[in-house]
Amino acid sequence: MTRPKRDIMISRQITDLIKEHVADIPVQHEISFIQDPKFGDYSSNIAFLLAKIENRAATDIANELKDKLSKYPIFSNVSVAGRGFINFTLARDFLISQISAADQNDFGKVNIGNQEKILVEYISANPTGPLNVVQARAGAFGNALVNLLRYVNYDAVSEYYINNTGTQIEMLYESLLARINEFNDKPSLIPENGYHGLYLKELARQILDNKIPQDQWQNYLLETIIARQKDTINKFGLHFDNFVRESTFIPRREQVLEKLKSYTYRKDGALWFKSTDFKDSEDRVIITANGRPTYILSDLAYHWDKFDRGFTTLINIWGPDHHGYIARMHGGIKVLGFNPERLIVIIAQQVTLLRNKEKIVMSKRAGEFITLEEVMNEIGPDALKFFLLMRRPSQHLEFDLALAQKTSQENPVYYVQYAYARINSIIKNALEKNLSESTKPDLTILESDTEQALIKMIIHFPDLIAASAKHFEPHHLIYYLIQLATAFHAFYEKVRVITDDATETQARLYLCQCTQKVIQNALSILGVSAPEKM
RNA sequence: GCGCCUGUAGCUCAGUCGGAUAGAGCAUCGGAUUUCUAAUCCGAGGGUCGGGGGUUCGAAUCCCUCUAGGCGCGCCA
C-alpha cells in the first residue's frame, strides 16, 4: 500500500490539519516549538490572526478549533491557553512514527530552495597579507550558510573574489620593494598607506635568497600570498567552489561604463557615478583623475557576470567596514538592469579579540593583527568555528583568547562533540557484545520522560533547519545542538542503553543512532568535526 | 555632523521576525558516580529587556525620541 510521502516537518503536518478547518490560513500563521513542556509541544497563533479578520474573540475561535483538532490521533492533547494560543501535545504513537524517519542519512533535508541557483561570496580578502579573524568569521559563516542552503535544496555555489589589481596591490608591491631595499642597505621607506607587516620582510628575504628575477617579483609576491591564504582556508576547513580574479573582469568594465553612462558626470577631472540617485549619501568616483578605474567598476562587472551565469540570488558576506558600500552597489546593479533586491548583503560584524582582557587592535595596513592561523593554532579550528558561529552575524563579537583556552573544558563545542563520542562508544560496546541492530525495533517501550524529550528534540530538527535556512541564520543550529546534547546527556544519565532486555536495548540503541545522525548532520553543516572518541 | 551595528541575569549571548510567567552557557552555591566515556547529570539564587513616549487584543521585538558603546564616512578596497 502506498501513501503520499508524509512531510517530515512537524509544523507543516499540524498546519495541514488546521487547513482542513480553516479555508485561508493567513501567511503570518506560525507553528512554534514550545520550550516549556508544561504548555505542550507546539503551538499555533492562528486564533489571533483569524480574530482580527473575523472580528471575533480569539479565545472563542481557539476553542472551536480545539474541539475540531482534538479528534486527530497525532495529538494526545489540544488545549487553549493565554489569550488564544492553541497548544498541541504530540501523541506517543505519533512521536514513534516520526522518529522512524530519523535514522536516514539525509534526515532533516527539506525542500525550500527548489534548486534555485544562489551564489554566496565571502571572505574575498585582498591578497595583501594573511587572513585575519573577521575574515575567519565571514568564512565560518559563509561556509555554514552554503552547506545549510544546499541542505534545503538550493543549488548553492561558494565563491572567493580575489582583488588582484588596483592601488592596494601597487601599494603592496612598493612596500615589498622597501623591504628589499632594507636588506640591500639602500634607503627604504614603506609608503604611508603601505603594508608594514613583518610577513613582507620575510617575503623579501625569500625573494633575495631564491634569487627571483626582478621582473617576477610582483607576480611571486601575489601568488605566494594567495597560496598562503588558500592554505589557511584549507586548514580552517572551508570549501570554495570557485576562486575568481578581479583581473578577469577588466574587459567588462567598458560595458559597465557604457550602461552607467546616463548616471555619470565629470568633475575635477574624474568620472562620477550619481549614486545619490539610489540613496547613497554621496556620489562616487568610478574613474579617477589620472584615469584609473576604482574598485566598484570591477565589482559591478563581477556582479553582472554572476547574474549572467544564471544566479537568481546573490549573497555577499562583507566586513563591517563595507556597509557604506551597499547603496552604491545596489544602485549600480539597478542601472545594469537587474533587481537590486536580489543582492543580499550580510555584514559580519567586527570581532574584538582580547588577550587577558586587553584589546588587540587590528589593522592589516599597520601590520598589527592576530592572524587566523595564530588563533586556529591556539584554540583549534573546531572550537574557533563553533565560537564564531554562535553569534548572529550582526552581533559584535568579543572573546578573550586566554579565556577561550582556559575554559575549553566547558566549551560548548566539546559538550556537543562529547555527546557524539559517547554514543559512538555505546554503539561500539553493543557491537562487541554481538548485539545486532534490529531493523524494526519496538520503539513503544521508549516511554520515560528523558526518552520522550529526546525524541521530541530529534524530530524537531527538520523544522529547525527550515527556519534557519529561511533567514540565513546558521547560528540557530548551535543552540539546537546544545539542547539536543543536553537531552541526550540527561537520557544517558537516567536510563541504561545496553541491558539484558533485548527489546529495550535495541529500541534505545536505535534512539542513540538517530541522535548521532542528527548531531552529525548539524555539525557537518557548521563545518565542525564529529570525533569518534574523545 | 551623516550612515551602519549594538545595549537582555555578575560575564558571554539566544529569543523561530508582534505572542504565554523573557531563556541558555559560563561564573557562584548545594547535591549525584561500585554499571555503556564525570569533557556528565540534578537543584538553587540571579532581570525595570539602556531611558521615555507611541502603535494594539498583545511589544525585548515595530515607529518616534533621548542616551551609551563600537565601526565606517578616500579620486583605497
Side-chain angles (χ1 to χ4, degrees), chain A residues 94-113:
Chain A
F94 176 71
L95 294 179
I96 287 160
S97 72
Q98 294 300 299
I99 190 103
S100 66
D103 71 333
Q104 305 298 313
N105 284 329
D106 63 351
F107 178 65
K109 286 194 176 176
V110 292
N111 177 30
I112 291 176

Side-chain angles (χ1 to χ4, degrees), chain A residues 6 143 173 181 190 204 224 229 249 258 266 269 284 352 388 532:
Chain A
R6 206 172 33 203
N143 190 57
Y173 186 55
N181 285 339
I190 297 175
T224 306
Q229 287 186 348
F249 299 105
E258 189 60 32
R266 291 224 157 253
R284 309 291 172 173
T352 310
L388 294 173
E532 301 294 301

Side-chain angles (χ1 to χ4, degrees), chain A residues 66 129 315 496 510:
Chain A
K66 175 199 138 182
I315 297 180
R496 212 184 142 72
Y510 186 84

Side-chain angles (χ1 to χ4, degrees), chain A residues 151-169:
Chain A
Y151 210 73
V152 298
N153 199 30
Y154 278 97
D155 182 4
V157 171
S158 56
E159 216 155 84
Y160 186 120
Y161 181 65
I162 301 172
N163 314 129
N164 62 335
T165 70
T167 313
Q168 293 303 320
I169 298 303

